[in-house]
Amino acid sequence: MRRIYLDHAATTPTQPEVVKAMLPYFTNAFGNPSSIHSYGQEAKGAIEEARDKVAALIGAPSEEIVFTSGGTEADNFALKGVAFANEGKGNHIITTSIEHHAVIETCKFLERRGFRVTYLPVDAYGLVAPDDVRKAITDKTILISVMHASNEVGTIEPITEIGKIAGEASVYFHTDAVQTVGHIPVNVDDLGVDLLSLSAHKLYGPKGVGVLYIRKGTWLVPFMHGGDQERRRRAGTDNVPAIVGFGKAAELAQKDLSKEAERLTSLRDELIKGLLERIDHIHLNGHPTIRLPNNVNVSVDFVEGESMLLNLDLEGICASTGSACSSSSLEPSHVLLALGLSPEQAHGSLRFTLGRENTEEGIECVLEVLPRVVAKLRAMSPLLKSHR
């Protein structure tokens, strides 16, 4: 059976060129980059080369790139690092109601430690209003954290406008850009951010490695304690193969970014148009145009998302009902609820996220299979019967 993978927001396949670049650092070039002998210096040189490539992808100086174990650690590092370093100045943090769990749960942790967090609402498209950010700032505000784009509905937030507001108020500004880096242009100076999180496995690199961009002069305490790695900002022996892989993935993403974004936008729009035309009682979630090139999120009334997923999987089509990090939860998506959807609509959501290997043929397959799946499930749905 042919399989069609449409869950790239959860993870992407590691590109062959990336795997090839990593392999020597598992075997012959196995040195610890903290060692001063030739093996160690070979590994250290590879890390610095990868650092340069990641920095180039986001328009940052190399020395402002800190490697982490992934996007979750980068988010934790940004929020906890700034909060604990600046608690003498204030205890107020501003974020949104649709952030990734890595930010939401970190904020909840900080609230238990005495910090105050404002969770800003979003509109029906998932957009936060910059003016709401401005109004929420107090003399105790030390950090603003707003994701660059939603991992669930794909809406791209007005980060540049918020960055200007944060700069005018002299408040540190962090964005979780895990879903955007490598998929749309990202430049830390254009965005006006002090901290930015990204992850390799979302842009065809390996799992287990991420980055926190830290603008020079940003005051934060280390999240990991131990050795002097990463200029004393993140202790622990460097994951050399993964870091090298991240560098290669960043290099490839920068090379193909514009062309691939244009191609995926075309496929995305074809999928949205086809779904809305072929299935009744279906709704697009997120902004119709201000969204990631590869994201399609819909709610199908009178059907459970999990049932649709299982039936799609039997047909070889892999998608999701929301964030992969919450796929084991029975609770409706907090993001979709924040957009104003009912719990029933949220439970009936599907997320298709496209990638390099997807084609028009695959999109047409989805458009043939999903209407048939929905019709079958609705025929036995108590939700539809009660609606009638």
Side-chain angles (χ1 to χ4, degrees), residues 168-359:
E168 291 168 358
S170 298
V171 174
Y172 288 132
F173 183 32
H174 165 254
T175 190
D176 179 335
V178 165
Q179 292 293 334
T180 58
V181 172
H183 302 288
I184 62 174
V186 175
N187 183 286
V188 292
D189 289 334
D190 291 344
L191 296 178
V193 295
D194 302 295
L195 304 124
L196 181 145
S197 303
L198 56 153
S199 180
H201 79 102
K202 306 294 189 178
L203 48 93
Y204 305 93
K207 297 176 181 65
V209 61
V211 154
L212 179 63
Y213 157 77
I214 307 173
R215 186 179 295 277
K216 184 178 180 180
T218 301
W219 191 16
L220 77 171
V221 296
F223 177 64
M224 300 282 285
H225 298 89
D228 293 337
Q229 292 88 355
E230 295 300 291
R231 297 179 174 86
R232 300 186 178 181
R233 292 176 293 188
R234 199 273 186 184
T237 301
D238 300 280
N239 185 353
V240 182
I243 290 172
V244 169
F246 198 169
K248 187 63 177 180
E251 179 183 45
L252 294 172
Q254 188 173 27
K255 178 182 178 181
D256 300 332
L257 194 148
S258 297
K259 184 177 179 180
E260 181 64 4
E262 182 179 352
R263 188 185 74 87
L264 290 178
T265 298
S266 178
L267 291 178
R268 177 201 73 187
D269 292 346
E270 179 184 343
L271 179 57
I272 292 172
K273 182 175 183 291
L275 291 175
L276 296 181
E277 287 178 349
R278 302 188 193 192
I279 302 174
D280 58 0
H281 301 291
I282 187 172
H283 318 278
L284 178 67
N285 297 319
H287 199 282
T289 57
I290 309 174
R291 68 187 303 131
L292 290 170
N294 70 335
N295 180 290
V296 177
N297 188 303
V298 293
S299 286
V300 184
D301 293 343
F302 318 123
V303 187
E304 288 285 343
E306 289 80 4
S307 298
M308 288 187 285
L309 278 187
L310 290 172
N311 278 269
L312 286 172
D313 195 39
L314 290 173
E315 299 274 0
I317 298 169
C318 303
S320 73
T321 57
S323 170
C325 300
S326 60
S327 59
S328 61
S329 172
L330 296 177
E331 294 299 315
S333 160
H334 71 285
V335 174
L336 296 179
L337 294 181
L339 268 61
L341 274 66
S342 68
E344 292 77 17
Q345 289 174 317
H347 276 305
S349 71
L350 282 177
R351 183 187 69 175
F352 300 99
T353 43
L354 289 67
R356 292 179 182 272
E357 71 275 22
N358 295 131
T359 63

